[in-house]
Amino acid sequence: MQLESMYQDIILDHYRNPHGRGLREPFEAEVHHVNPTCGDEVTLRVHLDGDTIADVSYEGMGCSISQASVSAMYDLVVGRSVTDALGTGDHFTTLMHSRGDAAVAEELEDELEDAVAFAGVSKYPARIKCALMSWMALKDASARALAVADPAIPTGGQKA
């Protein structure tokens, strides 16, 4: 029970003291994602330096899970290559589909840092989309930003 309480404290801290919040320039891509189930929203911008994520800035509204998730994501991806950041996103998705399996959380703890606190969220299917929304926005915005750098890269035809 102490671990769950600590995880809840981490999520609430990211919600109350968001890291990277506020839309900034410059940026190569901006996307707006909405979770229609509960109304969570995030507008996310990605600025690249080559293939490195130089900055992620965002504005959003919604539940503590969705807003804390984007804050924790910010800490994990800025300064990393797009490939590495999206790989971390894949690991976060694995955590979200673990249904609270402590072994999965333990295995991913070093890579996910504060984001491992969302392990408990994975027990509640209705809340998983809240936690994953910002990661899906990052994936979308990164593809668009890379396409700006190299127009030969397809963006998947999605609209913001």
Side-chain angles (χ1 to χ4, degrees):
M1 193 60 164
Q2 286 180 335
L3 185 60
E4 275 190 38
S5 177
M6 183 183 75
Y7 282 173
Q8 288 173 353
D9 289 346
I10 290 170
I11 290 171
L12 287 175
D13 185 53
H14 273 280
Y15 176 68
R16 291 178 182 141
N17 305 295
H19 303 179
R21 187 174 184 88
L23 294 173
R24 293 181 290 282
E25 295 187 17
F27 63 96
E28 285 71 43
E30 177 180 295
V31 298
H32 182 77
H33 281 225
V34 177
N35 180 351
T37 306
C38 62
D40 294 336
E41 296 185 31
V42 68
T43 299
L44 186 131
R45 291 178 176 175
V46 170
H47 173 53
L48 300 179
D49 182 5
D51 73 340
T52 299
I53 298 175
D55 191 28
V56 171
S57 61
Y58 65 92
E59 283 293 336
M61 59 184 245
C63 70
S64 60
I65 293 169
S66 71
Q67 300 307 296
S69 181
V70 69
S71 173
M73 180 193 73
Y74 169 85
D75 290 345
L76 289 170
V77 302
V78 171
R80 297 181 64 196
S81 73
V82 171
T83 301
D84 287 348
L86 295 180
T88 298
D90 290 342
H91 288 127
F92 186 78
T93 300
T94 297
L95 179 72
M96 288 297 93
H97 294 293
S98 71
R99 297 182 181 191
D101 185 336
V104 173
E106 187 176 324
E107 180 181 324
L108 296 172
E109 186 173 15
D110 288 341
E111 181 177 356
L112 294 180
E113 299 174 10
D114 279 0
V116 79
F118 293 87
V121 172
S122 71
K123 297 176 188 176
Y124 306 98
R127 304 312 303 265
I128 292 171
K129 285 183 180 180
C130 301
L132 286 175
M133 182 180 64
S134 59
W135 290 93
M136 297 302 106
L138 176 70
K139 189 174 187 179
D140 186 11
S142 295
R144 292 169 188 245
L146 287 170
V148 167
D150 182 355
I153 296 173
T155 63
Q158 299 172 350
K159 293 185 178 184

